[in-house]
Each structure stands twice: as C-alpha cells, then as structure tokens.
C-alpha cells in the first residue's frame, strides 16, 4: 500500500524567540537592542538546526517550519528586516536538514499576506507554503508566478471527514484547472488550511494531488 508521509514540526525560529521575549519587545529589539536580538535568535537557530538534523536522520518526509510574519495586508515588518533577521536563519535550519537528506520537503506556515517574501522563502529552501489566504493574496497571480497551488479554506479542520473530503476535491480540481491554464501542471507550492500540529491532515491531500497530476 501507499505509505503516508511522516511530518516533523516546530522548526520556527522567530516565533519561538518572541514567545520567550514577547512580540512587541522582540520587534523593538530589532531596532534598539540588536545585540540581544542577535544572541537570542542565534541561540534559537542553533537549537532548531540540531533538531532539524535529528528529524532528517530519523527519516521524516516533510519538515514543517514557519513564523507568523504576515498580517491581513502585508508583512508585520519590512522585507529588509525580514531578510536581515529571519531569512538567513531559516535558510540555515533548512540547509542543515537537507544536508542530511536532500529529498526532505520543507513546509512553511504563515498566516496573512506574505507574498512579498515568497521569493525569499523559495531561495531559503521552502517548497510548501501554507496557507494561500484568498482574502489576503491573489491565488491566481501566485499560481502564475510560482507554480501550482492547492488551497483549502481556513477552518477546514472543523468540518467532518466527509465534508473535508468534498472541500478538498473541489479545491483540488479548481486549483489544477487554474494551474494547467497558467501553463504549469507541476507542483511547486502546496497550500491548505492548517491541518493540525501533528501533521496528519497532510497525508491524504498530498496523495490526492500527486494522483491528480
């Protein structure tokens, strides 16, 4: 039978750091307390690097990471600040995992509008972006620019299994029709509503998408 993909979570650096520091204080540190911000983020990055290596060595298929850096209208910081403080640390964690297992897929979660940094996420090694919120970003434009995107509505996990299956199938058909129309029948970004922190919600959609393609 088909083996379900295994998923490992919690590779975030920024979010884990501001949980310790407080979001307001962490963002202020980027401007007025840079030495402290660097020390905290570096320590968290080192921890996540070792964790990512362990997961890769254990043979997981998908490494999930993410920092909620988006609001409904855009990033909560400038792109320059994101690239200064967060992008290189995300890339370091991803590189550590892929150095152990080049085939591991990297899933990145951020709510809100993060379209401005999609090229940076791809450059850092992200292959799966979650979610593409239609109230914040234009899925058709993102499909055209970056590849096929499968999108499920936020809050999907509140539905029954039967309702989830129907919603996923409808979203999958609409997405792939748009992808083929855009001239890209392949998959570069997969987005869906957050399916629970244990990752079990990913298995069926991933299999269905590959079967569809």
């Amino acid at each position: 039978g088909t083996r379900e993909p295994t998923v490992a979570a919690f590779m975030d650096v920024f979010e884990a750091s501001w949980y310790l520091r407080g979001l307001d204080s962490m963002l202020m540190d980027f401007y007025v307390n840079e030495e402290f911000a660097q020390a905290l983020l570096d320590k968290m990055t080192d921890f996540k690097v070792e964790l990512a290596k362990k997961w890769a060595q254990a043979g997981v298929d998908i490494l999930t990471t993410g920092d909620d850096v988006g609001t409904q209208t855009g990033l909560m910081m400038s792109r320059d600040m994101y690239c200064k403080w967060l992008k290189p640390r995300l890339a370091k964690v991803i590189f550590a995992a892929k150095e152990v297992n080049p085939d591991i897929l990297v899933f990145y979660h951020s709510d809100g509008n993060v379209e401005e940094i999609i090229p940076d996420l791809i450059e850092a090694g992200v292959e799966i972006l979650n979610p593409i919120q239609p109230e914040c970003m234009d899925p058709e434009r993102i499909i055209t620019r970056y590849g096929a995107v499968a999108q499920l509505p936020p809050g999907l996990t509140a539905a029954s299994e039967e309702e989830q299956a129907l919603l996923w199938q409808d979203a999958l058909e609409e997405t792939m029709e748009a992808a083929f129309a855009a001239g890209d029948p392949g998959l570069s970004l997969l987005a869906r509503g957050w399916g629970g922190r244990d990752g079990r919600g990913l298995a069926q959609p991933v299999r269905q998408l590959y079967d569809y393609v």
Side-chain angles (χ1 to χ4, degrees), residues 146-209:
Y146 304 109
V149 179
Q151 170 66 27
L152 282 184
L156 177 68
T157 52
S160 68
E161 290 187 7
E162 292 78 8
E163 290 171 326
Q164 287 188 37
L166 290 173
L167 285 169
W168 169 255
Q169 191 61 41
D170 289 344
L172 180 61
E173 290 177 0
E174 291 176 6
T175 294
M176 296 313 297
E177 286 175 6
F180 279 102
D184 185 357
L187 169 68
S188 58
L189 298 176
L190 168 65
R192 53 156 292 162
W194 190 231
R197 291 191 178 271
D198 60 3
R200 287 180 295 178
L202 285 173
Q204 181 181 358
V206 168
R207 286 200 304 270
Q208 285 183 297
L209 183 63

Side-chain angles (χ1 to χ4, degrees), residues 8-13 48-49 51-53 55 63-67 90 93:
F10 306 119
M11 298 301 111
D12 52 295
V13 171
K48 299 296 183 175
V49 161
L51 192 57
K53 288 180 182 177
W55 282 123
L63 192 71
T64 67
T65 182
D67 289 306
L90 172 65
V93 173

Side-chain angles (χ1 to χ4, degrees), residues 3-213:
R3 181 179 67 84
E4 291 192 0
T6 54
V7 182
F10 306 119
M11 298 301 111
D12 52 295
V13 171
F14 173 58
E15 200 161 294
S17 297
W18 73 251
Y19 283 171
L20 297 175
R21 179 66 170 152
L23 179 57
D24 291 351
S25 297
M26 187 82 248
L27 291 174
M28 288 291 292
D29 289 338
F30 289 165
Y31 292 93
V32 300
N33 199 358
E34 292 193 18
E35 186 176 351
F36 176 83
Q38 181 172 326
L40 176 57
L41 289 173
D42 283 350
K43 180 67 70 173
M44 189 62 68
T45 300
D46 290 343
F47 173 71
K48 299 296 183 175
V49 161
E50 293 305 313
L51 192 57
K53 288 180 182 177
K54 295 296 185 183
W55 282 123
Q57 289 166 357
V60 300
D61 301 301
I62 302 172
L63 192 71
T64 67
T65 182
D67 289 306
D68 280 313
V69 294
T71 70
Q72 292 294 94
T73 57
L75 298 175
M76 66 171 62
M77 64 188 75
S78 69
R79 182 181 180 184
D80 286 345
M81 292 297 285
Y82 177 84
C83 289
K84 174 181 178 179
W85 290 104
L86 305 183
K87 178 182 175 180
R89 292 174 169 88
L90 172 65
K92 186 175 181 180
V93 173
I94 293 173
F95 177 80
K98 286 187 174 287
E99 194 172 32
V100 175
N101 177 13
D103 294 327
I104 198 169
L105 296 175
V106 178
F107 172 111
Y108 184 93
H109 167 81
S110 177
D111 294 320
N113 185 343
V114 295
E115 185 172 357
E116 188 177 4
I117 61 168
I118 288 178
D120 298 303
L121 296 175
I122 294 172
E123 191 172 289
V126 171
E127 291 134 331
I128 303 169
L129 178 61
N130 159 271
I132 306 296
Q133 290 183 232
E135 68 272 27
C136 301
M137 297 184 281
D138 182 349
E140 184 176 351
R141 182 174 65 246
I142 292 175
I143 288 171
T144 301
R145 290 182 179 178
Y146 304 109
V149 179
Q151 170 66 27
L152 282 184
L156 177 68
T157 52
S160 68
E161 290 187 7
E162 292 78 8
E163 290 171 326
Q164 287 188 37
L166 290 173
L167 285 169
W168 169 255
Q169 191 61 41
D170 289 344
L172 180 61
E173 290 177 0
E174 291 176 6
T175 294
M176 296 313 297
E177 286 175 6
F180 279 102
D184 185 357
L187 169 68
S188 58
L189 298 176
L190 168 65
R192 53 156 292 162
W194 190 231
R197 291 191 178 271
D198 60 3
R200 287 180 295 178
L202 285 173
Q204 181 181 358
V206 168
R207 286 200 304 270
Q208 285 183 297
L209 183 63
Y210 275 93
D211 288 345
Y212 191 95
V213 175

